[in-house]
mmCIF file of all heavy atoms in Angstrom:
data_model
loop_
_atom_site.group_PDB
_atom_site.id
_atom_site.type_symbol
_atom_site.label_atom_id
_atom_site.label_comp_id
_atom_site.label_asym_id
_atom_site.label_seq_id
_atom_site.Cartn_x
_atom_site.Cartn_y
_atom_site.Cartn_z
ATOM 1 N N GLN X 1 -22.449 -5.773 -19.399
ATOM 2 C CA GLN X 1 -22.326 -5.355 -20.798
ATOM 3 C C GLN X 1 -21.634 -3.993 -20.935
ATOM 4 O O GLN X 1 -21.628 -3.404 -22.007
ATOM 5 C CB GLN X 1 -23.712 -5.302 -21.452
ATOM 6 C CG GLN X 1 -24.491 -6.600 -21.384
ATOM 7 C CD GLN X 1 -23.715 -7.771 -21.962
ATOM 8 O OE1 GLN X 1 -23.277 -7.732 -23.112
ATOM 9 N NE2 GLN X 1 -23.522 -8.818 -21.166
ATOM 10 N N MET X 2 -21.051 -3.499 -19.825
ATOM 11 C CA MET X 2 -20.407 -2.192 -19.837
ATOM 12 C C MET X 2 -18.885 -2.320 -19.858
ATOM 13 O O MET X 2 -18.324 -3.388 -19.602
ATOM 14 C CB MET X 2 -20.859 -1.376 -18.612
ATOM 15 C CG MET X 2 -22.341 -1.036 -18.647
ATOM 16 S SD MET X 2 -22.920 -0.138 -17.178
ATOM 17 C CE MET X 2 -22.214 1.482 -17.468
ATOM 18 N N ALA X 3 -18.238 -1.237 -20.158
ATOM 19 C CA ALA X 3 -16.781 -1.204 -20.266
ATOM 20 C C ALA X 3 -16.125 -1.406 -18.898
ATOM 21 O O ALA X 3 -16.718 -1.088 -17.863
ATOM 22 C CB ALA X 3 -16.342 0.132 -20.858
ATOM 23 N N PRO X 4 -14.887 -1.924 -18.890
ATOM 24 C CA PRO X 4 -14.170 -2.070 -17.614
ATOM 25 C C PRO X 4 -13.935 -0.710 -16.954
ATOM 26 O O PRO X 4 -13.856 0.320 -17.633
ATOM 27 C CB PRO X 4 -12.831 -2.704 -18.027
ATOM 28 C CG PRO X 4 -13.068 -3.292 -19.378
ATOM 29 C CD PRO X 4 -14.107 -2.438 -20.028
ATOM 30 N N ALA X 5 -13.829 -0.737 -15.637
ATOM 31 C CA ALA X 5 -13.416 0.462 -14.910
ATOM 32 C C ALA X 5 -11.900 0.586 -15.037
ATOM 33 O O ALA X 5 -11.185 -0.416 -15.146
ATOM 34 C CB ALA X 5 -13.820 0.359 -13.445
ATOM 35 N N ILE X 6 -11.411 1.822 -15.056
ATOM 36 C CA ILE X 6 -9.964 2.063 -15.134
ATOM 37 C C ILE X 6 -9.529 2.763 -13.855
ATOM 38 O O ILE X 6 -10.095 3.791 -13.472
ATOM 39 C CB ILE X 6 -9.597 2.905 -16.370
ATOM 40 C CG1 ILE X 6 -10.020 2.173 -17.652
ATOM 41 C CG2 ILE X 6 -8.100 3.198 -16.388
ATOM 42 C CD1 ILE X 6 -9.816 2.967 -18.919
ATOM 43 N N LEU X 7 -8.545 2.188 -13.192
ATOM 44 C CA LEU X 7 -8.061 2.747 -11.935
ATOM 45 C C LEU X 7 -6.584 3.095 -12.055
ATOM 46 O O LEU X 7 -5.802 2.331 -12.638
ATOM 47 C CB LEU X 7 -8.256 1.759 -10.786
ATOM 48 C CG LEU X 7 -9.706 1.376 -10.449
ATOM 49 C CD1 LEU X 7 -10.127 0.129 -11.184
ATOM 50 C CD2 LEU X 7 -9.854 1.156 -8.959
ATOM 51 N N ASP X 8 -6.220 4.230 -11.531
ATOM 52 C CA ASP X 8 -4.816 4.603 -11.407
ATOM 53 C C ASP X 8 -4.338 4.159 -10.033
ATOM 54 O O ASP X 8 -4.925 4.541 -9.013
ATOM 55 C CB ASP X 8 -4.648 6.120 -11.546
ATOM 56 C CG ASP X 8 -4.704 6.555 -13.009
ATOM 57 O OD1 ASP X 8 -4.418 5.718 -13.884
ATOM 58 O OD2 ASP X 8 -5.039 7.724 -13.265
ATOM 59 N N THR X 9 -3.294 3.336 -10.000
ATOM 60 C CA THR X 9 -2.759 2.874 -8.715
ATOM 61 C C THR X 9 -1.338 3.400 -8.526
ATOM 62 O O THR X 9 -0.575 3.537 -9.489
ATOM 63 C CB THR X 9 -2.757 1.340 -8.629
ATOM 64 O OG1 THR X 9 -1.882 0.810 -9.632
ATOM 65 C CG2 THR X 9 -4.152 0.778 -8.833
ATOM 66 N N VAL X 10 -1.006 3.681 -7.272
ATOM 67 C CA VAL X 10 0.332 4.178 -6.926
ATOM 68 C C VAL X 10 0.836 3.390 -5.717
ATOM 69 O O VAL X 10 0.112 3.220 -4.733
ATOM 70 C CB VAL X 10 0.305 5.682 -6.568
ATOM 71 C CG1 VAL X 10 1.727 6.171 -6.277
ATOM 72 C CG2 VAL X 10 -0.316 6.499 -7.682
ATOM 73 N N THR X 11 2.064 2.884 -5.801
ATOM 74 C CA THR X 11 2.720 2.229 -4.671
ATOM 75 C C THR X 11 3.988 3.013 -4.353
ATOM 76 O O THR X 11 4.837 3.218 -5.236
ATOM 77 C CB THR X 11 3.078 0.768 -4.998
ATOM 78 O OG1 THR X 11 1.879 0.066 -5.339
ATOM 79 C CG2 THR X 11 3.738 0.085 -3.813
ATOM 80 N N VAL X 12 4.110 3.458 -3.110
ATOM 81 C CA VAL X 12 5.246 4.286 -2.698
ATOM 82 C C VAL X 12 5.976 3.611 -1.548
ATOM 83 O O VAL X 12 5.353 3.242 -0.540
ATOM 84 C CB VAL X 12 4.771 5.698 -2.258
ATOM 85 C CG1 VAL X 12 5.964 6.543 -1.810
ATOM 86 C CG2 VAL X 12 4.013 6.383 -3.382
ATOM 87 N N ASP X 13 7.276 3.415 -1.686
ATOM 88 C CA ASP X 13 8.112 2.892 -0.609
ATOM 89 C C ASP X 13 8.882 4.039 0.030
ATOM 90 O O ASP X 13 9.539 4.829 -0.665
ATOM 91 C CB ASP X 13 9.096 1.848 -1.137
ATOM 92 C CG ASP X 13 8.423 0.527 -1.446
ATOM 93 O OD1 ASP X 13 7.291 0.327 -0.980
ATOM 94 O OD2 ASP X 13 9.020 -0.298 -2.158
ATOM 95 N N LEU X 14 8.800 4.125 1.369
ATOM 96 C CA LEU X 14 9.497 5.164 2.125
ATOM 97 C C LEU X 14 10.493 4.487 3.057
ATOM 98 O O LEU X 14 10.131 3.529 3.760
ATOM 99 C CB LEU X 14 8.502 6.011 2.935
ATOM 100 C CG LEU X 14 7.383 6.685 2.123
ATOM 101 C CD1 LEU X 14 6.081 5.906 2.258
ATOM 102 C CD2 LEU X 14 7.177 8.130 2.571
ATOM 103 N N VAL X 15 11.738 4.957 3.065
ATOM 104 C CA VAL X 15 12.808 4.268 3.784
ATOM 105 C C VAL X 15 13.444 5.194 4.812
ATOM 106 O O VAL X 15 13.679 6.382 4.556
ATOM 107 C CB VAL X 15 13.874 3.749 2.794
ATOM 108 C CG1 VAL X 15 15.038 3.114 3.545
ATOM 109 C CG2 VAL X 15 13.259 2.744 1.832
ATOM 110 N N ASN X 16 13.717 4.604 5.991
ATOM 111 C CA ASN X 16 14.426 5.300 7.061
ATOM 112 C C ASN X 16 15.384 4.300 7.694
ATOM 113 O O ASN X 16 14.961 3.342 8.352
ATOM 114 C CB ASN X 16 13.426 5.832 8.100
ATOM 115 C CG ASN X 16 14.090 6.554 9.251
ATOM 116 O OD1 ASN X 16 15.143 6.168 9.736
ATOM 117 N ND2 ASN X 16 13.441 7.609 9.721
ATOM 118 N N ASN X 17 16.689 4.507 7.450
ATOM 119 C CA ASN X 17 17.716 3.641 8.038
ATOM 120 C C ASN X 17 17.427 2.158 7.779
ATOM 121 O O ASN X 17 17.406 1.327 8.692
ATOM 122 C CB ASN X 17 17.821 3.913 9.546
ATOM 123 C CG ASN X 17 19.131 3.396 10.138
ATOM 124 O OD1 ASN X 17 20.105 3.189 9.407
ATOM 125 N ND2 ASN X 17 19.149 3.179 11.440
ATOM 126 N N ASP X 18 17.171 1.825 6.518
ATOM 127 C CA ASP X 18 16.891 0.457 6.045
ATOM 128 C C ASP X 18 15.538 -0.101 6.490
ATOM 129 O O ASP X 18 15.247 -1.272 6.270
ATOM 130 C CB ASP X 18 17.987 -0.528 6.479
ATOM 131 C CG ASP X 18 19.288 -0.300 5.724
ATOM 132 O OD1 ASP X 18 19.247 0.395 4.683
ATOM 133 O OD2 ASP X 18 20.328 -0.799 6.168
ATOM 134 N N VAL X 19 14.715 0.719 7.133
ATOM 135 C CA VAL X 19 13.351 0.305 7.477
ATOM 136 C C VAL X 19 12.410 0.833 6.397
ATOM 137 O O VAL X 19 12.425 2.028 6.085
ATOM 138 C CB VAL X 19 12.927 0.847 8.852
ATOM 139 C CG1 VAL X 19 11.468 0.488 9.136
ATOM 140 C CG2 VAL X 19 13.822 0.289 9.943
ATOM 141 N N ARG X 20 11.612 -0.071 5.836
ATOM 142 C CA ARG X 20 10.763 0.322 4.704
ATOM 143 C C ARG X 20 9.284 0.319 5.101
ATOM 144 O O ARG X 20 8.773 -0.678 5.618
ATOM 145 C CB ARG X 20 10.983 -0.635 3.532
ATOM 146 C CG ARG X 20 10.125 -0.303 2.321
ATOM 147 C CD ARG X 20 10.623 -0.937 1.029
ATOM 148 N NE ARG X 20 11.026 -2.317 1.163
ATOM 149 C CZ ARG X 20 10.889 -3.234 0.190
ATOM 150 N NH1 ARG X 20 10.351 -2.886 -0.963
ATOM 151 N NH2 ARG X 20 11.303 -4.469 0.373
ATOM 152 N N PHE X 21 8.621 1.433 4.842
ATOM 153 C CA PHE X 21 7.170 1.539 4.964
ATOM 154 C C PHE X 21 6.593 1.636 3.551
ATOM 155 O O PHE X 21 7.285 2.065 2.621
ATOM 156 C CB PHE X 21 6.779 2.778 5.778
ATOM 157 C CG PHE X 21 6.823 2.572 7.272
ATOM 158 C CD1 PHE X 21 7.990 2.162 7.919
ATOM 159 C CD2 PHE X 21 5.687 2.788 8.036
ATOM 160 C CE1 PHE X 21 8.029 1.983 9.284
ATOM 161 C CE2 PHE X 21 5.713 2.613 9.415
ATOM 162 C CZ PHE X 21 6.882 2.208 10.042
ATOM 163 N N ARG X 22 5.328 1.233 3.399
ATOM 164 C CA ARG X 22 4.706 1.273 2.068
ATOM 165 C C ARG X 22 3.333 1.928 2.145
ATOM 166 O O ARG X 22 2.538 1.646 3.044
ATOM 167 C CB ARG X 22 4.579 -0.131 1.482
ATOM 168 C CG ARG X 22 3.840 -0.188 0.161
ATOM 169 C CD ARG X 22 4.034 -1.521 -0.550
ATOM 170 N NE ARG X 22 5.390 -1.621 -1.112
ATOM 171 C CZ ARG X 22 5.832 -2.667 -1.819
ATOM 172 N NH1 ARG X 22 5.032 -3.708 -2.013
ATOM 173 N NH2 ARG X 22 7.064 -2.690 -2.297
ATOM 174 N N ALA X 23 3.069 2.802 1.184
ATOM 175 C CA ALA X 23 1.756 3.450 1.051
ATOM 176 C C ALA X 23 1.172 3.076 -0.303
ATOM 177 O O ALA X 23 1.879 3.079 -1.318
ATOM 178 C CB ALA X 23 1.889 4.964 1.169
ATOM 179 N N ASN X 24 -0.107 2.731 -0.318
ATOM 180 C CA ASN X 24 -0.803 2.392 -1.557
ATOM 181 C C ASN X 24 -1.935 3.377 -1.796
ATOM 182 O O ASN X 24 -2.694 3.703 -0.882
ATOM 183 C CB ASN X 24 -1.375 0.975 -1.484
ATOM 184 C CG ASN X 24 -0.292 -0.081 -1.485
ATOM 185 O OD1 ASN X 24 0.500 -0.167 -2.415
ATOM 186 N ND2 ASN X 24 -0.229 -0.878 -0.430
ATOM 187 N N GLY X 25 -2.043 3.810 -3.006
ATOM 188 C CA GLY X 25 -3.138 4.706 -3.372
ATOM 189 C C GLY X 25 -3.804 4.219 -4.643
ATOM 190 O O GLY X 25 -3.173 3.579 -5.496
ATOM 191 N N SER X 26 -5.069 4.480 -4.765
ATOM 192 C CA SER X 26 -5.780 4.143 -6.003
ATOM 193 C C SER X 26 -6.894 5.146 -6.217
ATOM 194 O O SER X 26 -7.463 5.672 -5.255
ATOM 195 C CB SER X 26 -6.353 2.722 -5.941
ATOM 196 O OG SER X 26 -7.350 2.637 -4.957
ATOM 197 N N GLN X 27 -7.167 5.398 -7.459
ATOM 198 C CA GLN X 27 -8.195 6.370 -7.799
ATOM 199 C C GLN X 27 -8.924 5.896 -9.048
ATOM 200 O O GLN X 27 -8.294 5.439 -10.006
ATOM 201 C CB GLN X 27 -7.565 7.748 -8.046
ATOM 202 C CG GLN X 27 -8.584 8.856 -8.280
ATOM 203 C CD GLN X 27 -7.935 10.217 -8.393
ATOM 204 O OE1 GLN X 27 -6.711 10.326 -8.352
ATOM 205 N NE2 GLN X 27 -8.724 11.248 -8.539
ATOM 206 N N VAL X 28 -10.241 5.946 -9.008
ATOM 207 C CA VAL X 28 -11.026 5.553 -10.180
ATOM 208 C C VAL X 28 -10.892 6.638 -11.241
ATOM 209 O O VAL X 28 -11.331 7.776 -11.062
ATOM 210 C CB VAL X 28 -12.510 5.334 -9.812
ATOM 211 C CG1 VAL X 28 -13.311 4.988 -11.060
ATOM 212 C CG2 VAL X 28 -12.650 4.230 -8.773
ATOM 213 N N LYS X 29 -10.265 6.263 -12.350
ATOM 214 C CA LYS X 29 -10.042 7.203 -13.458
ATOM 215 C C LYS X 29 -11.251 7.239 -14.391
ATOM 216 O O LYS X 29 -11.630 8.282 -14.915
ATOM 217 C CB LYS X 29 -8.787 6.765 -14.214
ATOM 218 C CG LYS X 29 -8.344 7.678 -15.344
ATOM 219 C CD LYS X 29 -7.049 7.125 -15.937
ATOM 220 C CE LYS X 29 -6.548 7.985 -17.077
ATOM 221 N NZ LYS X 29 -5.299 7.405 -17.658
ATOM 222 N N PHE X 30 -11.839 6.035 -14.611
ATOM 223 C CA PHE X 30 -13.048 5.919 -15.446
ATOM 224 C C PHE X 30 -13.948 4.883 -14.794
ATOM 225 O O PHE X 30 -13.552 3.735 -14.589
ATOM 226 C CB PHE X 30 -12.669 5.500 -16.861
ATOM 227 C CG PHE X 30 -13.859 5.167 -17.737
ATOM 228 C CD1 PHE X 30 -14.781 6.144 -18.090
ATOM 229 C CD2 PHE X 30 -14.053 3.869 -18.197
ATOM 230 C CE1 PHE X 30 -15.881 5.838 -18.884
ATOM 231 C CE2 PHE X 30 -15.142 3.552 -18.997
ATOM 232 C CZ PHE X 30 -16.059 4.549 -19.336
ATOM 233 N N GLN X 31 -15.177 5.269 -14.464
ATOM 234 C CA GLN X 31 -16.069 4.385 -13.702
ATOM 235 C C GLN X 31 -16.462 3.128 -14.452
ATOM 236 O O GLN X 31 -16.569 2.053 -13.877
ATOM 237 C CB GLN X 31 -17.333 5.151 -13.303
ATOM 238 C CG GLN X 31 -17.184 5.977 -12.044
ATOM 239 C CD GLN X 31 -18.524 6.517 -11.616
ATOM 240 O OE1 GLN X 31 -19.150 7.292 -12.341
ATOM 241 N NE2 GLN X 31 -18.970 6.124 -10.441
ATOM 242 N N GLY X 32 -16.709 3.240 -15.747
ATOM 243 C CA GLY X 32 -17.158 2.082 -16.498
ATOM 244 C C GLY X 32 -18.367 1.437 -15.848
ATOM 245 O O GLY X 32 -19.317 2.112 -15.438
ATOM 246 N N PHE X 33 -18.319 0.111 -15.698
ATOM 247 C CA PHE X 33 -19.452 -0.637 -15.130
ATOM 248 C C PHE X 33 -19.760 -0.227 -13.696
ATOM 249 O O PHE X 33 -20.889 -0.413 -13.225
ATOM 250 C CB PHE X 33 -19.169 -2.139 -15.191
ATOM 251 C CG PHE X 33 -18.162 -2.603 -14.177
ATOM 252 C CD1 PHE X 33 -18.557 -3.039 -12.918
ATOM 253 C CD2 PHE X 33 -16.801 -2.589 -14.470
ATOM 254 C CE1 PHE X 33 -17.636 -3.459 -11.983
ATOM 255 C CE2 PHE X 33 -15.874 -3.000 -13.533
ATOM 256 C CZ PHE X 33 -16.287 -3.433 -12.290
ATOM 257 N N MET X 34 -18.762 0.323 -12.974
ATOM 258 C CA MET X 34 -18.961 0.677 -11.566
ATOM 259 C C MET X 34 -19.990 1.796 -11.401
ATOM 260 O O MET X 34 -20.469 2.041 -10.299
ATOM 261 C CB MET X 34 -17.635 1.081 -10.933
ATOM 262 C CG MET X 34 -16.647 -0.078 -10.813
ATOM 263 S SD MET X 34 -14.994 0.426 -10.258
ATOM 264 C CE MET X 34 -15.349 0.908 -8.578
#
């Protein structure tokens, strides 16, 4: 019966000579039901 949680997500692609790595980040912005 509580409000949804709100999360900020970030996806970052890092490239070196056409090789791609990916970093994912997330942070709880508003806990809501959590």
Side-chain angles (χ1 to χ4, degrees):
Q1 304 305 304
M2 295 177 74
I6 300 175
L7 297 93
D8 281 336
T9 63
V10 183
T11 301
V12 179
D13 285 344
L14 303 101
V15 176
N16 179 322
N17 198 21
D18 289 344
V19 176
R20 179 162 44 147
F21 277 58
R22 175 166 287 182
N24 291 301
S26 66
Q27 185 175 3
V28 177
K29 184 177 180 181
F30 172 65
Q31 276 189 297
F33 74 91
M34 293 173 68

